[in-house]
């Protein structure tokens, strides 16, 4: 019986090749793209689950409360870990970690200059040995035990091969930041992509404190750095509830001045990857992608249902004969479900090919939250089987019930009409649903594209063209003599127009440093933490920042004067910029005279509002050189600057970045999402148009004689074309009415992520409607025009 079902199904597919092609290709596209989306979502939900203690690991974070709301960061104070160990000995494990951005490693080479390696694709870290008792790493050689000693490192197998060409490196010496010698004591296997702890090199915690001198042991508890993390392994002896209950007493002891403003939530490590406020991936984004995947499967299944029920008329006599010869309704039902299964399985095989190709492209070209690696596991087979069964049921159940329910007398008499095959009412509803999906995606495409254009073109309040930044050595305190020498060499180049030093590069660097200040004669510190930026006197002119009152900073190597932005001025209670000039800010008792007020500019990306901020001088704290170029010959300018940089900073790595590129990098996730929505909207439209084409092809075949009669009676080609087009235009307009509220709600929610954004105007939705109508008319017109131009004699010959 099964063999017979397959044989009949194959014959029908060969007989109706256009029908088979449209269904198989539509389902393959839908399932292939859905597999890509589901694999991406699964990747994020599986991140870091390979650690054995995954469910017991917690990360301590910092929360700062002010009148404007809460501010959350992953960072904690430097002495936080030791304080937790002192107060809560019942916690099983506690470890500190300080992230090391863009680690620079120098490998001594006999008789030659050191080999310098700067790993931009991975971060490094300074860790305590307990880190490896909480998180699982596979050791190829050595281990983490010796990390208790300063001047030791462990590294990934990939980093070991970069440094030495082999993983047999135990006891070899590298120089951290090209200065501090450290001995390799362990090599661990390269981590898979599904981890947030992908560090290529990890140095001992003692190296951070004792050798790099970057963090003094007596660092105050109210100083929080976003790169300093603390992890703990909780147990039945000490739970998150215990920490929440005792946290107030902990803050009162270690940070008493800030007990009302500061707290240290312990977040399950299993949740950190999916918390956007801590730099994680948005669950809403993953849910949206999942919904798009389901919609793509839905629109492909709708194609199948529409075409299967439409094709039922052509199989009416076949069904009538089968029933007369004794076939039961159940047998006919399973016959047509078998045909559906064959089509779905062929489509799934093609979908897997599309998925494999798409995954290769995704791994290469997608970034941020959208970059993923697919890892096969036995559960994937069950997942594929579930997908196939679901699509078979969705696509095949209704058509099989319709076809199996034909009355044999009506079918054999040839009196079966479209109302007997599910009718146009059902197909109309399915077409409306299909194009509502397409229109929602097209509206999303237009909105995302316009928001990204707005981001690119908005005046941020500072100059960003033809400016590049170069990082200085990662030192506790910069060498002012070397800084002066590099500046002199750089500005001697005819390609350099201006030069400035700053703490963190451009005005919108993405790096924040907040501090507590006291204003003028007020006895209490301000209840919020303004952003502090250390810059030299050339910074304002180089970036064309606008002064609304006062003057620029005078050259100085220490903190003396301050420029504040308009937002800070208003928070201090002033409405006129001139009234605040000459007043004093105090940072840790160090006075700063307010000499100017800067017009507000976006110091963070457009997702965030402008915050209170002040600029002051602090030469030893500059870590970035800002260089404005005069000519468009960037290659020549970079070559000259590299030569000057290497002459002064021979141990460091010349790594220039243009400011406009840095700013766009902040919106990489939105740009990638825009490309994905473009692609998925295109796929949904393509699938919908394929189905539309199949329906029009069927309608032309069924109404061939009607068209012939109309032409004999004088109907024009235009009226025939309108005959086939008007119904679909009506259905698309209905789908637009249904799609618009949903699209508005979803996109309005997405735009709320931006403090500065476009408006959702009616023109956006009308444009989406016009695009859909135009594409649908192009799809319908090919077969419609062909029918309109057909000689009516050929259509009526058999009458």
């Amino acid at each position: 019986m099964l063999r017979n079902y397959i044989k009949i199904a194959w014959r029908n597919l060969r007989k109706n090749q256009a029908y088979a092609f449209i269904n198989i290709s539509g389902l393959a596209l839908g399932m292939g793209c859905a597999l890509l989306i589901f694999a991406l979502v699964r990747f994020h939900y599986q991140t870091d689950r390979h650690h054995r203690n995954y469910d017991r690991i917690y990360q301590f974070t910092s929360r700062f409360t002010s009148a404007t709301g809460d501010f959350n960061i992953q960072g904690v104070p430097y002495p936080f870990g030791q304080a937790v160990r002192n107060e809560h000995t019942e916690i099983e494990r506690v470890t500190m970690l300080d992230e090391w951005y863009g680690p620079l490693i120098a490998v001594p080479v006999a008789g030659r200059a050191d080999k310098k390696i700067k790993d931009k694709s991975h971060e490094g870290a300074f860790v305590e040995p307990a880190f490896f008792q909480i998180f699982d790493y596979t050791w190829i050689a050595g281990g983490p035990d010796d990390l208790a000693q300063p001047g030791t490192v462990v590294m990934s197998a990939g980093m070991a091969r970069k440094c030495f060409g082999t993983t047999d490196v135990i006891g070899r010496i590298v120089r951290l930041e090209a200065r501090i010698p450290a001995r390799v004591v362990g090599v661990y296997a390269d981590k898979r992509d599904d981890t947030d702890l992908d560090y290529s090199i990890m140095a001992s915690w003692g190296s951070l404190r004792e050798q790099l001198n970057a963090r003094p042991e007596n660092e105050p508890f109210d100083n929080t750095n976003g790169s300093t993390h603390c992890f703990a392994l909780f147990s039945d002896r000490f739970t998150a509830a215990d920490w929440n209950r005792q946290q107030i007493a902990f803050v009162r002891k270690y940070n008493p001045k800030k007990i009302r403003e500061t707290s240290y939530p312990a977040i399950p490590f299993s949740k950190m990857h999916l918390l956007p406020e801590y730099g994680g991936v948005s669950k809403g984004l993953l849910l949206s992608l999942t919904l798009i995947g389901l919609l793509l499967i839905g629109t492909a299944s709708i194609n199948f249902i529409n075409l299967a029920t439409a094709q039922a008329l052509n199989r009416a006599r076949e069904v009538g004969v089968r029933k007369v010869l004794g076939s039961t309704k159940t047998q006919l039902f399973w016959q047509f479900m078998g045909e559906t299964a064959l089509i779905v399985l062929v489509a799934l095989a093609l979908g897997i090919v599309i998925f494999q190709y798409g995954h290769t492209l995704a791994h290469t070209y997608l970034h941020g939250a959208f970059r993923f690696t697919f890892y096969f596991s036995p559960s994937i087979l069950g997942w594929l089987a579930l997908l196939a069964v679901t699509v078979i049921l969705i696509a095949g159940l209704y058509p099989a019930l319709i076809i199996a329910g034909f009355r044999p007398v009506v079918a054999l008499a040839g009196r079966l009409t479209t109302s007997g095959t599910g009718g146009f009412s059902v197909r109309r509803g399915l077409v409306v649903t299909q194009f509502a999906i397409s229109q929602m995606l097209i509206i999303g495409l237009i909105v995302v594209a316009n928001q990204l254009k707005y981001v690119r073109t908005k005046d941020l309040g500072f100059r960003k063209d033809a400016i590049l930044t170069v990082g200085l050595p990662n030192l506790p305190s910069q060498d002012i003599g070397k800084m002066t020498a590099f500046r002199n060499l750089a500005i001697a180049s005819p390609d350099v127009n201006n030069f400035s030093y700053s703490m963190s590069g451009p005005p919108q660097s993405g790096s924040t440093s907040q501090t507590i200040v006291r204003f003028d004669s007020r006895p209490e510190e301000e209840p919020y933490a303004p952003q502090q930026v250390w810059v030299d006197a050339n910074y304002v002119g180089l970036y064309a920042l606008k002064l609304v009152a006062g003057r620029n900073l005078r050259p100085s190597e220490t903190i003396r004067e301050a420029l504040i932005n308009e937002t800070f001025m208003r928070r201090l209670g002033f409405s006129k910029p001139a009234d605040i000039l000459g007043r004093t800010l105090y940072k840790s008792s160090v006075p700063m005279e307010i000499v100017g007020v800067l017009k507000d500019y976006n110091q963070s990306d457009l997702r965030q509002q402008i915050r209170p901020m002040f600029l002051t001088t602090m030469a030893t704290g500059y870590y970035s050189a800002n260089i404005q170029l005069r000519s468009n010959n960037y290659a020549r300018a970079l070559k000259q600057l590299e030569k000057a940089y290497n002459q002064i900073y021979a141990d460091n790595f010349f790594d220039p970045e243009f400011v406009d590129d840095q700013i766009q990098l902040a919106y990489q996730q939105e740009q990638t999402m825009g490309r994905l929505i473009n692609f998925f909207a295109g796929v949904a439209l393509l699938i919908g148009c394929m189905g539309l084409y199949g329906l029009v092809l069927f309608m032309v075949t069924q109404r061939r004689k009607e068209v012939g009669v109309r032409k004999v009676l004088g109907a024009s080609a235009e009226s025939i074309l309108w005959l086939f087009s008007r119904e679909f235009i009506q259905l698309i307009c209905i789908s637009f009415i249904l799609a618009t509220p949903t699209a508005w709600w979803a996109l309005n929610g997405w735009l709320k992520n931006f403090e500065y954004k476009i408006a959702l105007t009616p023109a956006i939705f009308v444009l989406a409607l016009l695009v859909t109508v135009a594409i649908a008319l192009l799809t319908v017109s090919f077969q419609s025009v062909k029918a309109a131009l057909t000689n009516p004699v050929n259509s009526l010959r058999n009458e």
Side-chain angles (χ1 to χ4, degrees):
M1 181 67 72
L2 179 61
R3 182 181 177 185
N4 187 50
Y5 283 171
I6 295 173
K7 185 183 295 185
I8 295 171
W10 178 248
R11 285 175 180 170
N12 277 302
L13 292 179
R14 289 184 61 187
K15 181 181 178 182
N16 301 289
Q17 293 182 11
Y19 159 80
F21 173 79
I22 291 173
N23 272 330
I24 291 174
S25 56
L27 286 171
L29 275 173
M31 289 195 288
C33 292
L35 284 171
L36 277 171
I37 292 172
F38 297 155
L40 186 154
V41 172
R42 175 179 177 270
F43 173 84
H44 284 293
Y45 274 96
Q46 292 294 319
T47 296
D48 277 312
R49 286 185 178 269
H50 58 276
H51 299 292
R52 286 173 297 173
N53 297 314
Y54 175 76
D55 294 328
R56 294 199 293 128
I57 302 172
Y58 283 76
Q59 181 171 356
F60 292 104
T61 62
S62 296
R63 177 176 296 156
F64 305 104
T65 302
S66 69
T68 57
D70 291 343
F71 178 65
N72 301 292
I73 62 171
Q74 292 189 56
V76 294
Y78 176 73
F80 188 90
Q82 189 55 51
V84 171
R85 282 189 285 262
N86 292 341
E87 298 301 315
H88 300 291
T89 56
E90 62 274 30
I91 297 180
E92 189 171 329
R93 292 279 187 276
V94 177
T95 186
M96 294 293 293
L97 177 147
D98 198 88
E99 291 187 327
W100 180 11
Y101 301 114
L104 174 62
I105 305 298
V107 181
V109 181
R112 288 186 294 164
D114 290 353
K115 175 184 176 182
K116 289 186 291 187
I117 297 169
K118 189 174 181 69
D119 191 353
K120 295 184 67 175
S121 60
H122 300 84
E123 293 177 358
F126 296 90
V127 299
E128 295 177 314
F131 177 84
F132 298 98
Q133 296 170 341
I134 296 177
F135 298 100
D136 297 321
Y137 285 73
T138 302
W139 294 95
I140 296 174
D145 295 341
D146 289 339
L147 277 184
Q149 306 170 21
T152 54
V153 297
V154 296
M155 59 177 59
S156 68
M159 176 59 84
R161 284 188 285 267
K162 281 183 182 179
C163 292
F164 302 102
T166 178
T167 57
D168 185 16
V169 297
I170 301 301
R172 302 287 290 271
I173 300 298
V174 296
R175 299 185 191 279
L176 311 180
E177 291 298 336
R179 297 182 295 108
I180 306 300
R183 177 171 52 93
V184 180
V185 298
V187 177
Y188 50 86
D190 292 327
K191 300 298 291 184
R192 302 191 336 172
D193 285 343
D194 55 346
T195 179
D196 290 329
L197 303 172
D198 187 16
Y199 303 115
S200 60
I201 184 166
M202 289 186 267
S204 61
W205 187 252
S207 298
L208 176 67
R209 185 181 70 245
E210 296 179 18
Q211 292 190 276
L212 289 181
N213 257 343
R215 308 298 294 271
E217 193 168 3
N218 61 347
E219 185 171 285
F221 213 84
D222 61 356
N223 186 20
T224 302
N225 192 309
S227 66
T228 305
H229 303 164
C230 183
F231 301 95
L233 191 61
F234 286 0
S235 64
D236 293 339
R237 294 178 58 208
F238 191 89
T239 65
D242 295 326
W243 171 255
N244 292 334
R245 187 170 57 253
Q246 301 174 37
Q247 186 182 163
I248 294 178
F250 179 87
V251 178
R252 183 179 291 116
K253 180 175 180 178
Y254 288 97
N255 197 3
K257 292 183 179 180
K258 301 298 175 186
I259 191 168
R260 293 183 179 179
E261 298 92 1
T262 307
S263 59
Y264 302 105
I267 309 295
F269 183 66
S270 58
K271 294 182 178 180
M272 290 297 291
H273 183 75
L274 298 176
L275 292 177
E277 60 266 37
Y278 294 108
V281 178
S282 167
K283 282 186 178 180
L285 173 63
L286 298 181
L287 179 62
S288 299
L289 288 172
T290 302
L291 182 60
I292 289 174
L294 292 174
L295 292 177
L296 288 174
I297 290 177
T299 196
S301 299
I302 286 170
N303 265 8
F304 187 95
I305 295 170
N306 273 336
L307 293 179
T309 53
Q311 285 287 331
L313 282 174
N314 295 335
R315 304 189 64 178
R317 286 188 173 86
E318 174 195 341
V319 173
V321 170
R322 285 176 176 275
K323 284 200 167 186
V324 168
L325 295 176
S327 291
T328 65
K329 186 175 181 179
T330 302
Q331 289 173 326
L332 288 169
F333 172 81
W334 285 113
Q335 164 67 43
F336 292 107
M337 285 298 289
E339 290 184 18
T340 302
L342 179 62
I343 291 174
V344 170
L345 291 176
V346 173
L348 180 60
L350 291 176
I352 291 173
V353 174
I354 293 172
F355 166 78
Q356 291 289 354
Y357 180 68
H359 174 249
T360 301
L361 295 178
H363 191 66
T364 304
Y365 295 107
L366 299 188
H367 304 281
F370 299 99
R371 188 179 186 277
F372 73 100
T373 301
F374 175 71
Y375 297 107
F376 179 82
S377 68
S379 63
I380 298 299
L381 294 176
W383 186 36
L384 290 174
L386 178 63
L387 176 64
V389 170
T390 302
V391 174
I392 289 169
L393 291 176
I394 292 174
L397 194 60
Y398 178 73
L401 288 172
I402 291 296
I403 295 172
F406 286 169
R407 293 170 56 196
V409 174
V410 176
L412 289 172
R415 297 198 304 272
L416 198 65
T417 63
T418 55
S419 62
T421 62
F424 272 119
S425 58
V426 174
R427 284 200 288 280
R428 284 191 187 105
L430 294 175
V431 169
V432 165
T433 302
Q434 196 171 46
F435 276 93
I437 294 169
S438 298
Q439 288 192 57
M440 283 190 288
L441 289 172
I442 291 172
I443 294 169
L445 181 157
I446 296 170
V447 170
V448 172
N450 282 334
Q451 176 63 18
L452 290 177
K453 180 182 178 182
Y454 175 78
V455 165
R456 287 194 306 271
T457 58
K458 182 183 183 299
D459 181 9
L460 302 176
F462 59 88
R463 180 189 292 130
K464 58 185 178 179
D465 298 325
I467 299 175
L468 60 87
T469 64
V470 181
L472 300 183
N474 185 16
L475 299 169
S477 180
Q478 292 294 343
D479 185 324
I480 296 176
K482 287 187 175 183
M483 291 168 60
T484 302
F486 177 52
R487 181 203 299 269
N488 291 338
L489 287 174
I491 61 177
S493 168
D495 294 319
V496 173
N497 187 50
N498 204 348
F499 188 104
S500 170
Y501 283 117
S502 64
M503 178 175 70
S504 56
Q508 196 180 100
S509 65
S511 174
T512 61
S513 176
Q514 294 178 285
T515 190
I516 299 297
V517 297
R518 184 172 63 84
F519 177 67
D520 214 44
S521 58
R522 294 175 184 174
E524 299 293 330
E525 294 172 335
E526 295 303 307
Y528 52 90
Q531 182 179 348
Q532 63 176 351
V533 183
W534 297 337
V535 302
D536 68 9
N538 292 336
Y539 190 85
V540 170
L542 187 145
Y543 282 106
L545 303 180
K546 299 176 179 65
L547 279 164
V548 296
R551 61 170 174 83
N552 188 18
L553 299 168
R554 289 197 175 101
S556 175
E557 295 179 359
T558 58
I559 296 176
R560 290 184 183 274
E561 302 172 334
L563 298 173
I564 66 173
N565 66 352
E566 293 173 301
T567 298
F568 194 11
M569 176 196 70
R570 289 189 289 269
R571 289 295 299 274
L572 289 171
F574 291 80
S575 58
K576 296 180 179 179
D579 293 344
I580 203 170
L581 298 180
R583 301 296 186 97
T584 305
L585 281 178
Y586 292 91
K587 171 182 162 56
S588 302
S589 75
V590 178
M592 297 176 286
E593 181 188 357
I594 299 175
V595 298
V597 178
L598 290 168
K599 183 177 179 59
D600 278 342
Y601 61 83
N602 292 96
Q603 77 265 45
S604 298
D605 59 50
L606 299 185
R607 302 180 193 91
Q608 304 176 50
Q609 63 183 357
I610 296 172
R611 301 189 301 275
M613 178 189 65
F614 68 89
L615 281 63
T616 187
T617 52
M618 183 65 169
T620 56
Y622 299 151
Y623 289 92
S624 182
N626 308 270
I627 305 169
Q628 182 187 10
L629 301 182
R630 179 177 284 115
S631 72
N632 291 326
N633 192 343
Y634 294 152
R636 183 181 65 191
L638 290 174
K639 186 175 181 180
Q640 293 171 345
L641 289 170
E642 182 175 14
K643 181 179 178 181
Y645 188 90
N646 290 335
Q647 184 177 333
I648 304 301
Y649 297 111
D651 291 335
N652 211 48
F653 201 90
F654 181 75
D655 187 22
E657 294 182 293
F658 280 93
V659 169
D660 48 1
D661 291 337
Q662 295 177 55
I663 292 171
Q664 288 306 310
L665 194 63
Y667 306 102
Q668 193 177 68
Q669 180 167 306
E670 284 75 17
Q671 291 169 349
T672 306
M673 186 176 77
R675 287 193 291 269
L676 284 178
I677 289 180
N678 291 352
F679 174 73
F680 291 133
V683 169
L685 263 178
L686 177 60
I687 294 172
C689 290
M690 288 168 66
L692 200 60
Y693 181 85
L695 280 178
V696 173
L697 180 62
F698 170 77
M699 289 171 61
V700 167
T701 303
Q702 291 295 312
R703 303 177 71 173
R704 185 176 64 249
K705 292 183 175 62
E706 177 190 342
V707 170
V709 171
R710 286 177 178 270
K711 292 198 71 175
V712 168
L713 295 176
S716 65
E718 291 80 5
S719 66
I720 301 298
L721 182 61
W722 177 245
L723 175 69
F724 289 106
S725 301
R726 63 185 178 186
E727 181 175 4
F728 291 111
I729 292 176
Q730 292 171 358
L731 296 181
I732 289 172
C733 290
I734 294 171
S735 71
F736 172 76
I737 294 170
L738 296 176
T740 298
T742 305
W744 182 89
W745 173 80
L747 291 166
N748 189 57
W750 178 72
L751 286 172
K752 285 180 179 178
N753 294 324
F754 292 86
E755 189 70 26
Y756 306 92
K757 52 186 176 285
I758 62 169
L760 288 177
T761 61
I764 291 173
F765 298 92
V766 172
L767 178 60
L769 174 63
L770 294 177
V771 168
T772 311
V773 169
I775 293 173
L777 285 176
L778 285 174
T779 304
V780 170
S781 62
F782 178 75
Q783 285 296 330
S784 302
V785 169
K786 185 178 177 181
L789 298 177
T790 300
N791 190 334
V793 174
N794 296 331
S795 303
L796 300 173
R797 180 175 295 164
N798 295 325
E799 284 296 305

